[in-house]
Coordinates of all heavy atoms in Angstrom, one line a residue:
M1 N -96.7 40.1 157.9 CA -97.5 41.2 157.3 C -96.6 42.4 156.9 O -96.8 43.0 155.9 CB -98.5 41.7 158.4 CG -99.9 41.2 158.2 SD -100.5 40.9 156.6 CE -102.3 40.9 157.0
A2 N -95.5 42.5 157.7 CA -94.6 43.7 157.4 C -93.9 43.5 156.1 O -93.7 44.5 155.4 CB -93.6 43.9 158.6
I3 N -93.5 42.3 155.8 CA -92.8 42.0 154.5 C -93.7 42.2 153.4 O -93.3 42.8 152.4 CB -92.2 40.6 154.5 CG1 -91.1 40.5 155.6 CG2 -91.7 40.3 153.2 CD1 -90.7 39.0 155.8
L4 N -94.9 41.8 153.5 CA -96.0 41.9 152.4 C -96.2 43.4 152.2 O -96.3 43.9 151.1 CB -97.2 41.2 152.7 CG -98.3 41.3 151.7 CD1 -97.9 40.7 150.3 CD2 -99.6 40.6 152.2
E5 N -96.4 44.2 153.3 CA -96.6 45.6 153.1 C -95.4 46.3 152.5 O -95.6 47.2 151.6 CB -96.8 46.2 154.6 CG -97.3 47.6 154.6 CD -97.6 48.1 155.9 OE1 -97.5 47.4 156.9 OE2 -97.9 49.4 156.0
F6 N -94.2 45.9 152.9 CA -93.0 46.5 152.2 C -93.0 46.2 150.7 O -92.7 47.1 149.9 CB -91.7 46.0 152.9 CG -90.5 46.5 152.3 CD1 -90.1 47.8 152.5 CD2 -89.7 45.8 151.5 CE1 -89.0 48.3 151.9 CE2 -88.6 46.2 150.9 CZ -88.2 47.5 151.1
V7 N -93.2 45.0 150.4 CA -93.2 44.6 149.0 C -94.3 45.4 148.2 O -94.0 45.8 147.1 CB -93.5 43.1 148.8 CG1 -93.7 42.7 147.3 CG2 -92.3 42.3 149.3
L8 N -95.5 45.6 148.8 CA -96.5 46.2 148.1 C -96.2 47.8 148.0 O -96.5 48.4 146.9 CB -97.9 46.1 148.8 CG -98.5 44.7 148.6 CD1 -99.8 44.6 149.6 CD2 -99.0 44.6 147.2
Q9 N -95.5 48.3 148.9 CA -95.1 49.7 148.9 C -94.0 49.9 147.8 O -94.1 50.9 147.0 CB -94.6 50.2 150.2 CG -95.6 50.4 151.2 CD -95.1 50.8 152.5 OE1 -93.9 50.8 152.8 NE2 -96.0 51.2 153.5
V10 N -93.1 49.0 147.7 CA -92.1 49.1 146.6 C -92.8 48.9 145.2 O -92.5 49.7 144.3 CB -91.0 48.0 146.8 CG1 -90.2 47.9 145.6 CG2 -90.2 48.3 148.0
L11 N -93.7 47.9 145.2 CA -94.5 47.7 143.9 C -95.3 49.0 143.5 O -95.3 49.4 142.3 CB -95.4 46.5 144.0 CG -96.2 46.1 142.8 CD1 -95.3 45.7 141.7 CD2 -97.2 45.1 143.2
L12 N -95.9 49.6 144.5 CA -96.6 50.8 144.2 C -95.7 51.9 143.7 O -96.1 52.7 142.8 CB -97.4 51.2 145.5 CG -98.2 52.5 145.4 CD1 -99.4 52.3 144.4 CD2 -98.8 52.9 146.8
G13 N -94.5 52.1 144.3 CA -93.6 53.1 143.9 C -93.2 52.9 142.5 O -93.1 53.8 141.7
I14 N -92.8 51.7 142.2 CA -92.3 51.4 140.8 C -93.4 51.5 139.8 O -93.2 52.2 138.7 CB -91.7 50.0 140.8 CG1 -90.4 49.9 141.6 CG2 -91.5 49.5 139.3 CD1 -89.9 48.5 141.8
T15 N -94.6 51.0 140.1 CA -95.7 51.2 139.1 C -96.1 52.6 138.9 O -96.6 53.0 137.9 CB -96.9 50.3 139.5 OG1 -97.3 50.6 140.8 CG2 -96.5 48.8 139.4
S16 N -96.0 53.4 140.0 CA -96.4 54.8 139.9 C -95.5 55.6 138.9 O -96.0 56.3 138.1 CB -96.4 55.5 141.3 OG -97.2 55.0 142.1
V17 N -94.2 55.3 139.0 CA -93.3 55.9 138.1 C -93.5 55.5 136.7 O -93.5 56.3 135.7 CB -91.8 55.7 138.6 CG1 -90.8 56.2 137.6 CG2 -91.6 56.4 139.9
L18 N -93.6 54.2 136.5 CA -93.8 53.6 135.1 C -95.1 54.1 134.5 O -95.1 54.3 133.3 CB -93.7 52.1 135.2 CG -92.3 51.5 135.5 CD1 -92.4 50.0 135.6 CD2 -91.3 51.9 134.4
L19 N -96.1 54.1 135.3 CA -97.4 54.6 134.8 C -97.4 56.0 134.4 O -97.9 56.4 133.3 CB -98.5 54.3 135.9 CG -100.0 54.5 135.5 CD1 -100.3 53.5 134.4 CD2 -100.8 54.2 136.7
T20 N -96.7 56.8 135.1 CA -96.5 58.2 134.7 C -95.8 58.3 133.4 O -96.2 59.1 132.5 CB -95.8 59.0 135.8 OG1 -96.5 58.9 137.0 CG2 -95.6 60.5 135.4
L21 N -94.7 57.6 133.2 CA -94.0 57.6 132.0 C -94.8 57.1 130.8 O -94.8 57.7 129.7 CB -92.7 56.8 132.1 CG -91.6 57.4 133.0 CD1 -90.4 56.5 133.2 CD2 -91.2 58.8 132.5
L22 N -95.6 56.0 131.0 CA -96.4 55.5 129.9 C -97.5 56.4 129.5 O -97.8 56.5 128.4 CB -97.0 54.1 130.3 CG -96.0 52.9 130.3 CD1 -96.7 51.6 130.8 CD2 -95.4 52.7 128.9
I23 N -98.1 57.0 130.5 CA -99.1 58.0 130.1 C -98.5 59.2 129.4 O -99.2 59.7 128.4 CB -99.8 58.5 131.4 CG1 -100.7 57.4 132.0 CG2 -100.7 59.7 131.2 CD1 -101.3 57.6 133.3
L24 N -97.4 59.6 129.7 CA -96.7 60.7 129.0 C -96.3 60.3 127.6 O -96.2 61.2 126.7 CB -95.5 61.2 129.7 CG -95.9 62.1 131.0 CD1 -94.6 62.4 131.7 CD2 -96.6 63.3 130.6
L25 N -96.1 59.0 127.3 CA -95.7 58.6 126.0 C -96.9 58.5 125.0 O -96.7 58.3 123.8 CB -95.0 57.2 126.1 CG -93.6 57.3 126.6 CD1 -93.1 55.9 126.8 CD2 -92.7 58.1 125.6
H26 N -98.1 58.5 125.5 CA -99.3 58.4 124.6 C -99.3 59.6 123.7 O -98.9 60.7 124.0 CB -100.5 58.4 125.5 CG -100.9 57.0 125.9 ND1 -100.4 56.5 127.0 CD2 -101.7 56.0 125.3 CE1 -100.9 55.2 127.2 NE2 -101.6 55.0 126.2
K27 N -99.9 59.3 122.5 CA -100.0 60.3 121.5 C -101.1 61.3 122.0 O -102.2 60.9 122.3 CB -100.5 59.7 120.2 CG -100.6 60.7 119.1 CD -101.0 59.9 117.8 CE -101.3 60.9 116.7 NZ -101.7 60.2 115.5
G28 N -100.7 62.6 122.0 CA -101.6 63.6 122.5 C -101.9 64.6 121.4 O -101.8 64.3 120.3
R29 N -102.4 65.7 121.8 CA -102.8 66.7 120.9 C -101.7 67.7 120.7 O -101.9 68.9 120.4 CB -104.0 67.4 121.3 CG -105.3 66.5 121.4 CD -106.5 67.3 121.8 NE -107.6 66.4 121.8 CZ -108.7 66.6 122.5 NH1 -108.8 67.7 123.3 NH2 -109.7 65.8 122.5
G30 N -100.5 67.2 120.9 CA -99.3 68.1 120.8 C -98.8 68.5 122.1 O -99.5 69.2 122.9
G31 N -97.6 68.2 122.4 CA -97.1 68.5 123.7 C -97.1 67.4 124.6 O -98.1 67.1 125.3
G32 N -96.0 66.7 124.7 CA -95.9 65.5 125.6 C -94.5 64.9 125.3 O -93.8 65.4 124.3
L33 N -94.2 63.9 126.0 CA -92.9 63.2 125.7 C -92.8 62.6 124.4 O -91.8 62.6 123.7 CB -92.6 62.2 126.8 CG -92.1 62.8 128.1 CD1 -91.8 61.7 129.1 CD2 -90.9 63.7 128.0
S34 N -94.0 62.1 123.9 CA -94.0 61.5 122.6 C -93.7 62.5 121.4 O -93.0 62.2 120.5 CB -95.3 60.8 122.3 OG -96.4 61.8 122.3
D35 N -94.2 63.8 121.6 CA -93.9 64.8 120.6 C -92.5 65.3 120.8 O -91.8 65.8 119.9 CB -94.9 65.9 120.7 CG -96.2 65.6 120.1 OD1 -96.2 64.6 119.3 OD2 -97.2 66.2 120.4
M36 N -92.0 65.3 122.0 CA -90.7 65.9 122.3 C -89.6 64.9 121.7 O -88.7 65.4 121.0 CB -90.4 65.9 123.9 CG -89.0 66.5 124.2 SD -88.7 66.4 125.9 CE -90.2 67.0 126.7
F37 N -89.8 63.7 121.7 CA -88.8 62.8 121.2 C -89.1 62.4 119.7 O -88.2 62.2 118.9 CB -88.7 61.5 121.9 CG -88.2 61.6 123.3 CD1 -88.9 61.3 124.4 CD2 -86.9 62.2 123.5 CE1 -88.4 61.5 125.7 CE2 -86.4 62.4 124.8 CZ -87.2 62.1 125.9
G38 N -90.4 62.5 119.3 CA -90.7 62.2 117.9 C -90.6 63.4 117.0 O -90.2 63.3 115.8
G39 N -90.9 64.6 117.5 CA -90.8 65.7 116.7 C -91.7 65.7 115.4 O -92.9 65.6 115.4
G40 N -90.9 65.8 114.2 CA -91.6 65.9 113.0 C -92.1 64.6 112.5 O -92.7 64.5 111.4
M41 N -91.8 63.5 113.1 CA -92.2 62.2 112.7 C -93.5 61.7 113.2 O -93.8 60.5 113.1 CB -91.1 61.1 113.0 CG -89.8 61.4 112.3 SD -88.5 60.2 112.7 CE -89.3 58.7 111.9
T42 N -94.3 62.6 113.8 CA -95.5 62.1 114.4 C -96.5 61.6 113.4 O -97.3 60.7 113.7 CB -96.2 63.3 115.2 OG1 -96.3 64.4 114.3 CG2 -95.3 63.7 116.4
S43 N -96.5 62.1 112.2 CA -97.5 61.6 111.2 C -97.1 60.2 110.7 O -97.9 59.4 110.5 CB -97.5 62.6 110.0 OG -96.2 62.7 109.4
A44 N -95.8 60.0 110.5 CA -95.3 58.6 110.1 C -95.5 57.6 111.2 O -96.0 56.5 111.0 CB -93.9 58.7 109.6
V45 N -95.0 57.9 112.4 CA -95.1 57.0 113.4 C -96.5 56.9 114.0 O -96.9 55.8 114.4 CB -94.1 57.4 114.6 CG1 -94.2 56.4 115.7 CG2 -92.7 57.4 114.0
G46 N -97.2 58.0 114.0 CA -98.6 58.0 114.5 C -99.5 57.1 113.7 O -100.6 56.7 114.2
S47 N -99.2 56.8 112.5 CA -100.1 56.0 111.7 C -100.0 54.6 112.0 O -100.8 53.8 111.7 CB -99.7 56.2 110.2 OG -98.4 55.8 109.9
S48 N -98.9 54.2 112.8 CA -98.7 52.8 113.2 C -99.7 52.5 114.4 O -99.4 52.9 115.5 CB -97.3 52.5 113.6 OG -97.2 51.2 114.2
G49 N -100.7 51.9 114.1 CA -101.7 51.6 115.2 C -101.3 50.5 116.1 O -101.7 50.5 117.3
L50 N -100.4 49.6 115.7 CA -100.0 48.6 116.6 C -99.2 49.1 117.8 O -99.4 48.6 118.9 CB -99.1 47.6 115.7 CG -98.6 46.3 116.5 CD1 -99.8 45.5 117.0 CD2 -97.6 45.6 115.7
A51 N -98.3 50.0 117.5 CA -97.5 50.6 118.6 C -98.4 51.2 119.7 O -98.2 51.1 120.9 CB -96.5 51.5 118.1
E52 N -99.4 52.0 119.2 CA -100.3 52.7 120.1 C -101.2 51.7 120.9 O -101.5 51.9 122.0 CB -101.2 53.7 119.3 CG -102.0 54.6 120.1 CD -101.2 55.6 120.8 OE1 -100.1 56.0 120.4 OE2 -101.7 56.1 121.9
R53 N -101.7 50.7 120.2 CA -102.5 49.6 120.9 C -101.6 48.9 121.9 O -102.2 48.6 123.0 CB -103.0 48.6 119.9 CG -104.3 49.1 119.2 CD -104.8 48.1 118.3 NE -103.8 47.9 117.2 CZ -104.0 47.3 116.1 NH1 -105.2 46.7 115.9 NH2 -103.1 47.2 115.2
N54 N -100.4 48.6 121.6 CA -99.5 47.9 122.6 C -99.2 48.8 123.8 O -99.3 48.4 124.9 CB -98.3 47.5 122.0 CG -98.4 46.2 121.1 OD1 -99.4 45.5 121.3 ND2 -97.5 46.0 120.2
L55 N -99.1 50.1 123.5 CA -98.8 51.1 124.6 C -100.1 51.2 125.5 O -100.0 51.3 126.7 CB -98.4 52.5 124.0 CG -98.1 53.5 125.0 CD1 -96.9 53.2 125.8 CD2 -97.9 54.8 124.3
N56 N -101.2 51.2 124.8 CA -102.6 51.2 125.6 C -102.6 49.9 126.5 O -103.1 50.0 127.6 CB -103.7 51.3 124.7 CG -103.9 52.6 124.0 OD1 -103.4 53.6 124.6 ND2 -104.6 52.7 122.9
R57 N -102.3 48.8 125.9 CA -102.4 47.6 126.7 C -101.5 47.6 127.9 O -101.9 47.2 129.0 CB -102.1 46.3 125.8 CG -103.1 46.1 124.8 CD -102.7 44.9 123.9 NE -103.8 44.8 122.8 CZ -103.5 44.3 121.6 NH1 -102.2 43.9 121.3 NH2 -104.4 44.3 120.7
F58 N -100.2 48.0 127.7 CA -99.3 48.1 128.8 C -99.7 49.0 129.8 O -99.6 48.8 131.1 CB -97.8 48.5 128.3 CG -97.2 47.5 127.4 CD1 -96.4 47.8 126.4 CD2 -97.3 46.1 127.7 CE1 -95.8 46.9 125.6 CE2 -96.6 45.1 126.9 CZ -95.9 45.6 125.9
T59 N -100.2 50.1 129.4 CA -100.7 51.1 130.4 C -101.9 50.6 131.2 O -102.0 50.8 132.4 CB -101.2 52.4 129.6 OG1 -100.1 52.9 128.8 CG2 -101.6 53.5 130.6
I60 N -102.9 49.9 130.6 CA -104.0 49.4 131.3 C -103.6 48.3 132.3 O -104.0 48.3 133.4 CB -105.1 48.8 130.2 CG1 -105.7 50.0 129.5 CG2 -106.1 48.0 130.9 CD1 -106.6 49.6 128.4
V61 N -102.7 47.4 131.9 CA -102.2 46.3 132.8 C -101.5 47.0 133.9 O -101.7 46.6 135.1 CB -101.3 45.3 132.0 CG1 -100.6 44.4 132.9 CG2 -102.1 44.5 131.0
L62 N -100.6 47.9 133.7 CA -99.9 48.6 134.8 C -100.8 49.4 135.7 O -100.6 49.3 136.9 CB -98.8 49.5 134.2 CG -97.7 49.9 135.2 CD1 -97.0 48.7 135.6 CD2 -96.8 50.9 134.5
A63 N -101.8 50.0 135.1 CA -102.8 50.7 136.0 C -103.6 49.7 136.9 O -103.9 50.0 138.0 CB -103.8 51.5 135.1
L64 N -103.9 48.5 136.3 CA -104.6 47.5 137.2 C -103.7 47.0 138.3 O -104.1 46.8 139.5 CB -105.0 46.3 136.3 CG -106.2 46.6 135.4 CD1 -106.4 45.4 134.5 CD2 -107.4 46.9 136.2
V65 N -102.4 46.8 138.0 CA -101.5 46.4 139.1 C -101.3 47.5 140.1 O -101.3 47.2 141.3 CB -100.1 46.0 138.5 CG1 -99.0 45.8 139.5 CG2 -100.2 44.8 137.6
W66 N -101.3 48.7 139.7 CA -101.2 49.8 140.6 C -102.5 50.0 141.5 O -102.4 50.1 142.7 CB -101.1 51.1 139.7 CG -100.9 52.4 140.4 CD1 -99.8 52.9 141.1 CD2 -102.0 53.3 140.7 NE1 -100.1 54.1 141.6 CE2 -101.4 54.4 141.4 CE3 -103.3 53.4 140.3 CZ2 -102.2 55.5 141.8 CZ3 -104.1 54.5 140.7 CH2 -103.5 55.6 141.5
F67 N -103.6 49.8 140.9 CA -104.9 49.8 141.6 C -105.0 48.7 142.6 O -105.4 48.9 143.8 CB -106.0 49.8 140.7 CG -107.4 49.8 141.3 CD1 -107.9 51.0 141.9 CD2 -108.2 48.7 141.5 CE1 -109.1 51.1 142.5 CE2 -109.4 48.8 142.1 CZ -109.8 50.0 142.6
I68 N -104.6 47.5 142.2 CA -104.7 46.3 143.1 C -103.7 46.5 144.3 O -104.0 46.2 145.5 CB -104.4 45.0 142.3 CG1 -105.6 44.7 141.4 CG2 -104.1 43.9 143.3 CD1 -105.3 43.6 140.4
S69 N -102.5 47.1 144.0 CA -101.5 47.3 145.1 C -102.0 48.3 146.1 O -101.9 48.2 147.3 CB -100.2 47.6 144.6 OG -100.2 48.8 143.9
I70 N -102.8 49.3 145.6 CA -103.3 50.4 146.5 C -104.4 49.8 147.4 O -104.5 50.0 148.6 CB -103.8 51.6 145.7 CG1 -102.7 52.4 145.2 CG2 -104.8 52.4 146.6 CD1 -103.1 53.6 144.5
V71 N -105.3 48.9 146.8 CA -106.4 48.3 147.5 C -105.8 47.3 148.6 O -106.2 47.3 149.7 CB -107.4 47.6 146.6 CG1 -108.3 46.8 147.3 CG2 -108.1 48.7 145.7
A72 N -104.8 46.6 148.2 CA -104.2 45.6 149.1 C -103.5 46.4 150.3 O -103.6 45.9 151.4 CB -103.2 44.7 148.3
L73 N -102.8 47.5 150.0 CA -102.2 48.2 151.1 C -103.3 48.8 152.0 O -103.1 48.8 153.2 CB -101.4 49.4 150.5 CG -99.9 49.0 150.2 CD1 -99.3 50.2 149.4 CD2 -99.1 48.7 151.4
G74 N -104.4 49.3 151.4 CA -105.5 49.8 152.3 C -106.0 48.8 153.2 O -106.3 49.0 154.4
L75 N -106.2 47.5 152.6 CA -106.8 46.4 153.4 C -105.8 46.0 154.5 O -106.2 45.7 155.7 CB -107.1 45.3 152.5 CG -108.4 45.4 151.6 CD1 -108.5 44.3 150.7 CD2 -109.6 45.6 152.4
I76 N -104.5 45.9 154.2 CA -103.5 45.6 155.2 C -103.5 46.6 156.4 O -103.5 46.3 157.5 CB -102.2 45.4 154.6 CG1 -102.1 44.1 153.7 CG2 -101.1 45.4 155.6 CD1 -100.9 44.0 152.9
T77 N -103.5 47.9 156.0 CA -103.5 48.9 157.0 C -104.8 48.9 157.8 O -104.7 49.1 159.1 CB -103.5 50.3 156.3 OG1 -102.3 50.3 155.4 CG2 -103.3 51.4 157.2
K78 N -105.9 48.6 157.2 CA -107.1 48.5 158.0 C -107.1 47.3 158.9 O -107.6 47.4 160.1 CB -108.4 48.4 157.0 CG -109.7 48.4 157.7 CD -110.8 48.3 156.7 CE -112.1 48.3 157.4 NZ -113.2 48.3 156.5
L79 N -106.6 46.2 158.5 CA -106.5 45.0 159.4 C -105.5 45.2 160.5 O -105.7 44.6 161.6 CB -106.2 43.8 158.5 CG -107.3 43.3 157.6 CD1 -106.7 42.2 156.8 CD2 -108.5 42.9 158.3
E80 N -104.5 46.0 160.3 CA -103.5 46.2 161.3 C -104.0 47.1 162.5 O -103.7 46.9 163.6 CB -102.2 46.8 160.8 CG -101.3 45.9 160.1 CD -100.1 46.5 159.4 OE1 -100.0 47.8 159.6 OE2 -99.2 45.8 158.9
V81 N -104.9 48.0 162.1 CA -105.5 48.9 163.1 C -106.5 48.1 164.0 O -106.5 48.3 165.2 CB -106.3 50.0 162.4 CG1 -107.0 50.9 163.4 CG2 -105.3 50.9 161.7
I82 N -107.2 47.1 163.4 CA -108.2 46.4 164.2 C -107.5 45.3 165.0 O -106.8 45.1 165.7 CB -109.2 45.6 163.3 CG1 -109.9 46.6 162.5 CG2 -110.0 44.7 164.1 CD1 -110.9 46.0 161.5

């Protein structure tokens, strides 16, 4: 159980950092990492719907992995107490 808990904690840490970065890369209303690196090209790059859809898909999948790892860690912690 200790190895599984360690693996889930590492997975949670990695997914937390990646999820934060992916959320910051989303096209916003001005002001975010996407505007910081894109600058004046937001109109040309922003019109590409494929990149935004893929970013949305990656974010959703990573959020699901993050959520499942939190639930699994909670269940392991609860079972260890009992």
Side-chain angles (χ1 to χ4, degrees):
M1 260 328 198
I3 295 173
L4 179 62
E5 186 176 358
F6 177 74
V7 168
L8 284 173
Q9 287 177 351
V10 169
L11 181 67
L12 181 64
I14 291 170
T15 56
S16 296
V17 170
L18 289 176
L19 192 59
T20 303
L21 291 175
L22 284 178
I23 289 172
L24 288 174
L25 283 175
H26 274 85
K27 182 178 177 183
R29 293 183 182 159
L33 286 180
S34 59
D35 285 341
M36 184 186 307
F37 295 121
M41 297 184 60
T42 55
S43 61
V45 176
S47 61
S48 172
L50 181 64
E52 188 70 25
R53 278 184 293 193
N54 285 336
L55 184 61
N56 287 338
R57 289 177 188 151
F58 291 143
T59 305
I60 289 170
V61 168
L62 198 62
L64 288 174
V65 171
W66 181 80
F67 180 75
I68 290 169
S69 64
I70 286 180
V71 170
L73 273 172
L75 289 174
I76 290 173
T77 305
K78 184 177 180 180
L79 290 176
E80 284 180 354
V81 172
I82 295 176

